[in-house]
Amino acid sequence: MTKSRVEDLAILGGASAFDERLHVGRPNIGDRRALLARINDMLDRLWLTNNGPFVQEFERRVADFLGVRHCIAMCNATVALEIAARALELHGEVIVPSFTFVATAHALQWQEITPVFCDVDPATHNLDPARVEAMITPRTTGIMGVHVWGRPCAIEALNEIAGRRGLKLIFDAAHAFGNSYKGRMIGNFGLAEVFSFHATKFFNTFEGGAVVTNDDELATKIRLMTNFGFAGYDKVIYVGTNGKMSEISAAMGLTGLESLDEFIAANRLNCATYRAGLQAVPGIKLIAYNETERNNYQYVIVEVDEMATGISRDDLVRVLHAENVLARRYFYPGCHEMEPYRSYFPHAGLLLPETEKLTQRVMSLPTGTAVGPEEIETICAVIRLAVENSQELLRRLAAIRETQHI
Ligand SMILES: Cc1ncc(COP(=O)(O)O)c(C=O)c1O
């Protein structure tokens, strides 16, 4: 139901626009019958994990799709980042954005590598290369860029800095599967790149991730570290861990790969529908993807400029939640405001003015194959209604809050 009067908003007592909750990242399943057939094969084979045939096929298909020499499938992207960082012998300090999911920083801290938070470019939401240079100290060994929302980092500038300063460059490409930079697929940049195939990603293996690289030696080392460091039945040559992807995850991945174009087409249509529905709303800016590149369009990200909307991002999120639209404040707060970083670096925010602004402005809206144009038009109508009537809405909300306090 499209709402047209401010009093119809659920936060003011109207009925919710949706009976069921709409999530930012509902899983895409692909062809269920193909998945179940694969699971049956797997059960018949009694080969459930340890580099089974589905994992091997999945790795080959992903590597071919990306045009990269090696893909090492893993149980999730966090472990993949940890293993990649360890295989690259990162230590001391590594420069990362604070405007990212906390796993980027944790993957380093978990190995007692200090994540040094660097500010981002407000135009791209990605590491600002000009600021990276200023964060380098004698202890710095690497840079971990994040392709936030799947939009590529300033890859050339980061490469140039890493090369000139003798640092190792890797990318957290958790959001960027299927995207390209200057016509080359993400996965081919830096010394290694890491994807996430978590259930909330547009392409998933339930839980899962992968390190991809064009470096043969690094690939061998990462593969061994993913399997406890075993280089033969009884021979261990590295400190390793268990990062292996299971067969059922690879079965899901192979099935999802067959529907990848469909998932992307749905995301793309959703983005276009949001764009049309929100383009005339003052203070609401949808981030854009570079249409000359391949994009997965998996995130619908809005920046809310309160000066123009008259309503804050946080109040807008409340309005949407009341309608059963579970918009999320991604990324909020910045990693530097989370523990243990908040205690370790209490003044980090002073060097992160753009990050601080973005964490107050950005929200992510529901998309994926579970949401279609009809729902999106209703969501846009709610946002338009809230912004067009922001003063009246805030007045009524204040009155409700006052009554509740009494
Ligand atoms: C930027 C980023 N890095 C890392 C991760 C961790 O991925 P996983 O959940 O597969 O461990 C995520 C997950 O959402 C992410 O968004």
Side-chain angles (χ1 to χ4, degrees), residues 76-78 81 100-101 103-104 146 172 174-175 196-198 200-201 207-208 299 331:
N76 61 57
T78 308
L81 285 168
T100 178
F101 184 62
T104 315
V146 183
D172 175 342
H175 298 179
S196 170
F197 308 133
H198 183 258
T200 52
K201 301 292 184 284
E207 290 271 1
Y299 292 101
F331 298 105

Side-chain angles (χ1 to χ4, degrees), residues 52-198:
F54 284 153
V55 165
Q56 293 178 37
E57 185 184 349
F58 179 68
E59 289 181 338
R60 262 196 321 274
R61 293 242 179 129
V62 168
D64 286 351
F65 172 60
L66 301 176
V68 69
R69 286 177 64 78
H70 304 281
C71 166
I72 302 108
M74 299 215 187
C75 55
N76 61 57
T78 308
V79 166
L81 285 168
E82 287 166 13
I83 294 175
R86 189 177 272 264
L88 284 166
E89 296 172 15
L90 295 179
H91 58 277
E93 296 174 358
V94 170
I95 296 171
V96 290
S98 172
F99 193 68
T100 178
F101 184 62
V102 73
T104 315
H106 278 355
L108 296 167
Q109 186 66 48
W110 194 254
Q111 300 171 84
E112 300 187 349
I113 299 167
T114 304
V116 172
F117 296 118
C118 178
D119 212 2
V120 293
D121 178 344
T124 65
H125 299 186
N126 284 327
L127 271 185
D128 181 346
R131 291 169 194 259
V132 166
E133 188 106 34
M135 310 304 286
I136 298 173
T137 74
R139 281 171 46 78
T140 311
T141 58
I143 303 170
M144 189 183 277
V146 183
H147 305 304
V148 171
W149 319 133
R151 298 192 302 179
C153 287
I155 291 174
E156 279 143 8
L158 293 176
N159 243 332
E160 191 278 322
I161 296 170
R164 183 162 41 77
R165 305 294 296 261
L167 304 176
K168 291 176 175 164
L169 176 63
I170 72 169
F171 291 105
D172 175 342
H175 298 179
F177 188 65
N179 294 0
S180 68
Y181 177 74
K182 299 201 170 166
R184 234 175 138 202
M185 296 303 276
I186 296 291
N188 284 279
F189 301 101
L191 296 167
E193 301 206 62
V194 171
F195 294 106
S196 170
F197 308 133
H198 183 258

Side-chain angles (χ1 to χ4, degrees), residues 208-276:
V211 181
V212 300
T213 178
N214 285 310
D215 182 323
D216 298 351
E217 215 173 297
L218 181 65
T220 305
K221 191 170 177 188
I222 288 174
R223 197 171 279 292
L224 296 181
M225 285 183 157
T226 303
N227 186 31
F228 311 101
F230 273 108
Y233 270 119
D234 307 309
K235 189 174 165 200
V236 168
I237 60 168
Y238 293 119
V239 176
T241 184
N242 182 356
K244 298 188 301 290
M245 177 179 274
S246 70
E247 282 291 275
I248 198 162
S249 284
M252 182 68 164
L254 288 168
T255 308
L257 281 177
E258 288 162 0
S259 296
L260 205 68
D261 291 343
E262 235 171 84
F263 300 158
I264 292 174
N267 288 344
R268 185 178 187 167
L269 176 63
N270 286 351
C271 274
T273 311
Y274 272 114
R275 191 164 298 287

